[in-house]
Amino acid sequence: MDNKWWKKSVIYQIYPKTFQDTNGDGIGDIPGIIAHLDYLEELGIDAIWLSPVYCSPQEDNGYDISDYQDIDPIFGSLNDMDRLIAEAKKHHIRIIMDLVLNHTSDEHFWFQEALKGKDNPYHDYYVWRDGVEGCPPNDLTASFGGSIWQWVPELGQYYMHQFSTKQPDLNWSNPKLRQALYDMINWWIDRGIEGFRLDVIDHVGKVPDEKIMVNGPKLHDYIREMSASTFGKAGLVSVGETWSATPETALLYSNPDGSEMSMVFQFEHICLDQDPDGTKWDLRPLPLLQFKEVMNKWQTELHGKGWNSLFWDNHDLPRIVSRWGNDSEEYREVSAKMLATLLHGMEGTPYVYQGEELGMTNIPLPSSIDAYKDVETMHAYRVLKARGWSEEKILQSLCAKCRDNARTPMQWNDGPQAGFTTGTPWMPVIPNYTTINAASQVHDEDSVFSYYKKLIHLRKETPVIVDGAFEMLLPEDEEIFAYRRTDDSQTLTVICNFYGNERRIDADSLVPKGSRLLLSNYKDMEEADLLRPYEARMYLK
Ligand code: GLC
Ligand code: CA
């Protein structure tokens, strides 16, 4: 049954640029990951999802790949990568790589060849349209600014790019391109990689002439072909990034027959704290009732028929404790633990993003845009300026949501640069590293780190957490998130006070008689019917 190991596992995401620098250049590297395998084993995670370490001009921090089969020198060498795979294995940790297959860097050999002429064998690896300058084929806009069409005068053609101009889209309708990608994936499998995260995979079947960017008509055919030729055939774990997923499509993606992927990241809950008619920069408070409905829907609709991934954070999202918890000194730890309890009691594979296990926070409100580096953030700044927003309002939005919040150096200790580098870090360290850091938490039984460690172990020891049926409790309650998981022999009850006020509950009606308290983010229970600010409890019967 080992082929479904990921159903009982927790996966840890590493953003290599800010994890640990070992040579003083201010950029995290692969030897830095190897240096912390003991820490990760202590936390209890089963696999690392490694954000891209391939050769890249770093326009989008590695999500613009110029060589899929080599490691960027800023991160180390192929030899370091082989060493990471081997050393991780000794720590019982598998390595999952990030596959960016919708586009490459414009500096990739394929694209450089494609630019040489319409007859070049690589030309058709990308998406081109004939035209005249100034009249792009349509008005679709790219995620990081401008039209999706970039004019190339030498060819009299436009190429398509859904992200930056330096990320030309690959043409998945070309079987040769698909085969080249599969060969590359198999090359990594042969090196010992045990799974893949598939970047914006719902985009690969695009049909630009019909203005279809996601969920193209051939999408699932392509994914099935890829799976059968690569990770599916090898029985490895795979997780797709699919911002467009609904429970209906997720049942296809995560079909238990293994024909597509193991699971997908869906983002319905992640998009709830924004104006439904606006963008992610149009902030609104999280509507708790709707949030509960969405989580309930995903838990119940995939149960027994598909598989969820569970996450709060990743390298594109702000820190959860600042977002839906409370990052004040008083409530930071307790609210971080509450959010962890809420998520880790659910069905699916939990993902922990580096630093989440320490309760790392967002970057404090900056005084100028210079605090940020991310290509998406810079684009948003220009767009919001053009909308007439004040500098203050723009910075407030960016502070709440921008991707750089997740990309500050990992806070290892209270020494210079939080122990991340002996040089100057490429992104500044958040000043609160003096109190929030790994060194102070690993041996502290009450720390956020120790709490995550307990949750990770509980999943391994408690079958009902792995596949019990989900039932929302108190669905109409506007402050409490409570649910129950049941299988033939166990009942798990999770009760979370989502906010900073005290709340009375009727514990007897929520918690089955004979249950015992498995875990709580407060030391002693004062009164079963009283929930203190952000109090979370997990009971098992
Ligand atoms: C995904 C990645 C993101 C990247 C984008 C383009 O959303 O997570 O970081 O910018 O794809 O590759
Ligand atoms: Ca380095």
Side-chain angles (χ1 to χ4, degrees), residues 324-395:
W324 294 344
N326 181 333
D327 63 10
S328 70
E329 205 164 313
E330 187 175 9
Y331 292 128
R332 185 178 52 77
E333 292 193 15
V334 78
S335 69
K337 291 172 186 172
M338 180 276 286
L339 288 161
T341 316
L342 202 165
L343 195 72
H344 284 249
M346 291 190 180
E347 182 174 26
T349 301
Y351 290 75
V352 177
Y353 180 69
Q354 67 180 46
E356 179 188 336
E357 77 281 14
L358 305 174
M360 274 180 64
T361 66
N362 280 352
I363 301 171
L365 183 66
S367 53
S368 105
I369 183 69
D370 297 342
Y372 300 128
K373 292 201 156 53
D374 170 35
V375 53
E376 186 204 51
T377 308
M378 294 307 146
H379 169 56
Y381 181 74
R382 292 186 294 267
V383 169
L384 299 174
K385 268 250 134 116
R387 271 209 225 163
W389 284 25
S390 70
E391 188 80 9
E392 194 189 347
K393 184 168 176 196
I394 296 176
L395 288 174

Side-chain angles (χ1 to χ4, degrees), residues 12 36 39 332-333 355-361 409-420 429-444 446-450:
Y12 186 90
H36 287 294
Y39 169 85
R332 185 178 52 77
E333 292 193 15
E356 179 188 336
E357 77 281 14
L358 305 174
M360 274 180 64
T361 66
M410 180 74 178
Q411 295 171 194
W412 291 110
N413 57 47
D414 63 4
Q417 309 298 353
F420 165 68
V429 171
I430 298 183
N432 63 22
Y433 72 89
T434 49
T435 46
I436 306 172
N437 62 66
S440 68
Q441 294 197 25
V442 173
H443 303 292
D444 172 2
D446 296 327
S447 66
V448 179
F449 177 91
S450 297

Side-chain angles (χ1 to χ4, degrees), residues 60 63 100 103 144 163 167 197 199-200 241 315-316 403 407:
D60 187 16
Y63 286 88
V100 187
H103 45 269
F144 301 155
F163 296 90
Q167 292 165 298
R197 178 261 188 189
D199 190 64
V200 293
E241 184 203 23
H315 64 292
D316 295 329
R403 309 199 295 182
R407 300 174 180 188

